[in-house]
Amino acid sequence: MTTVREASFAIFRHFGVDALFGNPGSTELPMLRGMPADIPYVLGLSEAVVLGMADGYAQATRRPSLVNLHSSAGTGNALGNLYTAYRNNTPIVVTAGQQARSILPFDPFLGAERPTEFPRPFVKWACEPARAEDVPLALVRAFHIAMTPPMGPTFVSVPVDDWDRECEMPDLPALALTVQPPAKGIARLAAMLDSASKPALVIGAGVARSGGWQAAIDLVERSQADVWCAPLASRETFPESHPRFAGFLPAFREEIVKLLAPYDAILVAGTQAFTYHAEGHGPHVPEGATLGLLSDDPQHLSFQPGGIGVLGDVGDGLRALAKAVTEKPAREAQPRATAPEAAMTAAYALHRIAELRPDNAMLTEEAPTARGAMHDHLPITCEQGFFATASGGIGYALPAAVGLARGAAQRKVIALIGDGSAMYSISGLWSAAEQGSDISFVILNNSRYAALESFGQVFGMNHVPGTDISGIDFVTLAESMGVPARRSDDVATLDEALEWSFGTKGPTLVELVIA
């Protein structure tokens, strides 16, 4: 016999866990007693930061992350970034403290009345085992479900007195299952591309999650399809400097159809067809175009607007397609954006970041107002080169950068964050300093929630209340948490500040005051 704690940590090791992300509370302390040296505790100063760090770490390592939260209050604080992890399809196993079983009938302080309902629907599975000795089996299942595509977070509530109970050590089976795309489906997609006079490939984040970066390049170079990034993609999709990269689809139905109108065959890979941000009208795809969809998520296929749907691992599907399609002669390259005028604008700042950034840098971004300028002037050109929130929730990118830096210690991380976004999880700077994370935090400070002001125009609003957030001093904030920082408010000092940050090992922050 062994204890629940001993069995649990054996399970964690089996699934590749080498860190526990958390912010401790009283009902978690027995789990943390005698923490093993090979699974260090990674502290975040709020539960939102904890989830963001774990998300970035899981994506960087392509292994599941382990998170420990307090009962309802702590879990509630984490829900925003738990929702983001769900939309990011990030494999995270969350354990949450619960009061002792013997006092649960008395509505105890810090007890969670309905612990498995609280995080739903934004976990794939949630469980509070009926008996202490069932905790290890629940954890095994939680890891399997988290890692089985479409991946995502799972949740296990563990009463405080379970950890020292005796239990049997469960069998530790192989890792998660994958579904291979059927050969018949691949053949149909290949025939669709071969018969097209002008094909297009729309790539979503699922390609990055499945390791399909090179497979997408191979497919495009054989089929000569133009490549579009799917609306609001949260990961790198395709090298944006490639001759066949055409641009980014907006999240609006009519605009998508207009941009895809020149194509007679459209293959969507690793995402749905399509993600929208506002109400639209008319067809979902251009008239006369054939639609194909390759995804590991049955939901994407369930509401695709016609065409050919193939379910299975996206990377494997793209590799099979690259071999199956007929090679076509090269076509003229897509045009590229010209360099912006030298001024303290988001466009020029992003252009300089692109010119000065270290090779193979990883970018995490949460600057909604600058997303268009980023698309034009800060191209993503390497695998695992871009990470953002798929949920639209704010407060993800800053702590995610800390997790990315921990998971890919050999690469510089650049965290490009708006001033409003940064304040949602600013305490993540402390974790970056405490871990010595090699991150360049670049804050685009325009003194307001400019994204809301811009989107307000969609609803005919000339004024959006509550958007002025002027007066925040990010240099002082960063330095108070142990992160060296500089400010640039003119073109003359911009390059020097960026070069200092990119050339410094460890966490730094540059505040860019932009128009």
Side-chain angles (χ1 to χ4, degrees):
M1 301 292 285
T2 186
T3 65
V4 168
R5 184 191 303 102
E6 292 166 344
S8 297
F9 277 91
I11 291 165
F12 300 155
R13 292 185 186 94
H14 174 76
F15 286 100
V17 169
D18 59 5
L20 172 59
F21 296 86
N23 181 274
S26 57
T27 55
E28 296 84 72
L29 291 180
M31 177 188 181
L32 308 181
R33 184 188 297 125
M35 281 283 294
D38 62 327
I39 303 181
Y41 192 90
V42 181
L43 176 62
L45 301 188
S46 77
E47 290 84 357
V49 167
V50 168
L51 253 295
M53 290 193 298
D55 189 319
Y57 188 70
Q59 293 198 64
T61 61
R62 292 195 169 117
R63 298 196 308 268
S65 283
L66 177 65
V67 168
N68 183 233
L69 299 176
H70 199 28
S71 55
S72 294
T75 300
N77 289 338
L79 284 182
N81 274 340
L82 185 63
Y83 170 54
T84 293
Y86 181 78
R87 294 304 299 258
N88 283 355
N89 293 116
T90 306
I92 300 175
V93 173
V94 177
T95 62
Q98 169 67 297
Q99 270 289 11
R101 293 177 185 272
S102 62
I103 60 172
L104 286 177
F106 302 103
D107 191 19
F109 184 65
L110 297 179
E113 181 181 354
R114 297 179 180 178
T116 62
E117 296 179 31
F118 194 29
R120 284 178 169 148
F122 301 121
V123 291
K124 290 181 68 179
W125 182 72
C127 175
E128 184 175 273
R131 306 178 304 165
E133 51 265 46
D134 297 329
V135 169
L137 281 171
L139 290 171
V140 170
R141 188 176 182 193
F143 276 99
H144 264 276
I145 293 173
M147 289 294 291
T148 300
M151 295 184 290
T154 56
F155 182 91
V156 181
S157 173
V158 185
V160 68
D161 52 341
D162 282 6
W163 296 103
D164 292 317
R165 301 287 180 88
E166 289 189 338
C167 67
E168 293 184 1
M169 185 66 196
D171 292 333
L172 297 178
L175 296 181
L177 305 172
T178 58
V179 176
Q180 297 304 307
K184 183 177 179 180
I186 295 298
R188 291 184 67 193
L189 293 178
M192 180 190 80
L193 294 174
D194 283 347
S195 64
S197 60
K198 192 172 184 182
L201 178 60
V202 178
I203 303 182
V207 173
R209 287 193 297 271
S210 65
W213 174 267
Q214 185 59 50
I217 297 172
D218 294 342
L219 173 60
V220 166
E221 292 181 349
R222 283 185 61 85
S223 68
Q224 288 299 300
D226 285 345
V227 178
W228 290 87
C229 179
L232 304 173
S234 61
R235 289 290 306 274
E236 75 279 2
T237 57
F238 193 80
E240 295 165 22
S241 56
H242 193 281
R244 294 266 53 82
F245 185 75
F248 299 82
L249 292 180
F252 302 96
R253 186 191 302 188
E254 294 89 345
E255 295 181 40
I256 291 172
V257 171
K258 181 179 179 180
L259 289 170
L260 295 181
Y263 303 101
D264 54 353
I266 301 164
L267 172 60
V268 179
T271 186
Q272 65 193 59
F274 294 96
T275 299
Y276 304 129
H277 193 188
E279 184 180 13
H281 304 280
H284 296 275
V285 295
E287 185 177 353
T290 305
L291 176 68
L293 193 149
L294 171 64
S295 176
D296 62 6
D297 190 342
Q299 288 294 323
H300 293 165
L301 275 68
S302 71
F303 50 74
Q304 87 176 72
I308 305 165
V310 177
L311 178 67
D313 184 88
V314 179
D316 287 344
L318 291 176
R319 281 183 280 274
L321 271 173
K323 295 176 182 178
V325 296
T326 302
E327 188 168 4
K328 296 180 180 178
R331 296 192 291 116
E332 183 179 353
Q334 291 285 345
R336 294 288 170 257
T338 58
E341 179 185 354
M344 281 305 284
T345 62
Y348 185 72
L350 295 172
H351 168 68
R352 297 313 300 156
I353 292 171
E355 293 293 313
L356 300 172
R357 61 183 166 176
D359 292 339
N360 212 33
M362 306 170 83
L363 177 71
T364 180
E365 177 267 337
E366 199 172 277
T369 310
R371 180 63 78 92
M374 185 189 75
H375 291 336
D376 290 337
H377 303 294
L378 182 53
I380 306 303
T381 58
C382 60
E383 188 172 9
Q384 286 202 302
F386 180 70
F387 301 82
T389 170
S391 71
I394 301 299
Y396 166 77
L398 194 154
V402 182
L404 289 170
R406 185 180 182 89
Q410 74 282 6
R411 297 174 68 174
K412 169 69 81 171
V413 176
I414 300 172
L416 180 67
I417 307 172
D419 50 343
S421 298
M423 292 306 297
Y424 276 72
S425 52
I426 196 68
S427 68
L429 294 176
W430 181 92
S431 294
E434 193 269 339
Q435 295 183 50
S437 306
D438 193 13
I439 305 172
S440 293
F441 295 100
V442 180
I443 307 297
L444 300 180
N445 188 350
N446 57 21
S447 300
R448 60 191 183 274
Y449 291 125
L452 283 178
E453 293 179 351
S454 176
F455 200 73
Q457 298 173 17
V458 175
F459 300 103
M461 299 175 66
N462 294 322
H463 172 69
V464 179
T467 57
D468 183 357
I469 57 170
S470 56
I472 301 171
D473 184 344
F474 285 96
V475 170
T476 300
L477 270 174
E479 291 177 341
S480 73
M481 286 184 271
V483 176
R486 294 187 184 182
R487 178 182 295 108
S488 173
D489 57 8
D490 57 41
V491 171
T493 60
L494 175 60
D495 281 12
E496 180 184 359
L498 292 173
E499 288 173 339
W500 162 76
S501 179
F502 296 161
T504 300
K505 184 71 172 178
T508 57
L509 182 143
V510 176
E511 179 183 2
L512 302 182
V513 181
I514 61 172

